[in-house]
Amino acid sequence: MRCFLFILLFIPFVCTAADDHERLQRIESLALSDWDTAKILLKEVNPEVLAPADKHFYRYLSIYLSTKDTPLETVVGQYKGLYRTLPDEAVKVKVAKSLLALEAYLNEWDHAFGLAKDLEAQISRLNDVQSNLSAWKGMVVFYSQAGLYDMASDMVGKILATKEAGDDLR
C-alpha cells in the first residue's frame, strides 16, 4: 500500500519535469521565429521548481533571450559565468556555441580559441548527436570568421560523416 501511495505521489513530479523540459525546448525553438513570444513564455516558467538540468537550460535561455536588450559585453560575461558552473551536458555545448559566436563578433579571439578547444573536447565526451551537430556548425562559422578555413572544412567533414546530417547537406 505504501509503495502504491509513493508511486501516486511521485508520478505527477516526473510528468511535470518532462513537461518543463519540453516547454523549455519549445521556447528555444520558438526563439528562432518569434523572439517576443519566446521571452513571454520563458517569463511564465518558475525556475525554482525545475529539475537541476532544466535550471541550467532556463539560465541559458534567459541569457540568450536577453541578447537584443543587453550590451553584448554583458551577455558575454553572463555566458562565461554560466559556462564555468555547468557540468558537461548539452546545455554547456549550447552556451559554448553562443559564446563563441559573440566572442568572434567582438574580436575576443584569445578566449574564443581556448573555448573552441574546450568545446571540441566536450563533443568527444558527449554522446548526443544533435548537440554535436549543432556545435560543429557553430565551429564552422567561428573558424570561418577567424579565417581558418581548413579547420572549418574539418568541422564540415565531421558533420557530413554523420548519418543525421541529412541528404540535403551531402
Side-chain angles (χ1 to χ4, degrees), residues 26-132:
R26 181 174 175 271
I27 292 168
E28 180 184 36
S29 65
L30 189 59
L32 298 174
S33 61
D34 191 350
W35 188 271
D36 294 329
T37 302
K39 285 179 77 168
I40 290 167
L41 291 174
L42 188 65
K43 286 181 182 177
E44 294 173 0
V45 175
N46 180 0
E48 299 301 317
V49 300
L50 296 174
D54 287 334
K55 284 183 182 181
H56 298 312
F57 194 14
Y58 175 88
R59 287 182 60 206
Y60 160 73
L61 288 173
S62 295
I63 296 168
Y64 179 78
L65 290 170
S66 74
T67 304
K68 287 184 180 180
D69 309 322
T70 307
L72 294 181
E73 294 79 8
T74 302
V75 174
V76 166
Q78 291 171 335
Y79 273 140
K80 284 179 180 178
L82 177 58
Y83 185 80
R84 285 189 291 270
T85 66
L86 294 174
D88 284 345
E89 58 183 30
V91 174
K92 190 168 188 173
V93 171
K94 291 175 189 290
V95 171
K97 180 182 165 191
S98 295
L99 189 51
L100 265 180
L102 286 172
E103 289 184 329
Y105 179 77
L106 295 171
N107 293 317
E108 293 183 10
W109 298 109
D110 290 341
H111 184 265
F113 281 110
L115 182 62
K117 185 176 181 178
D118 189 49
L119 181 54
E120 285 191 64
Q122 284 179 63
I123 291 170
S124 68
R125 293 187 302 269
L126 191 64
N127 192 20
D128 180 346
V129 175
Q130 292 305 316
S131 292
N132 291 354

Side-chain angles (χ1 to χ4, degrees), residues 13-23 25 54:
F13 174 75
V14 172
C15 292
T16 302
D19 291 344
D20 288 338
H21 187 73
E22 289 174 9
R23 188 179 196 190
Q25 287 179 318
D54 287 334

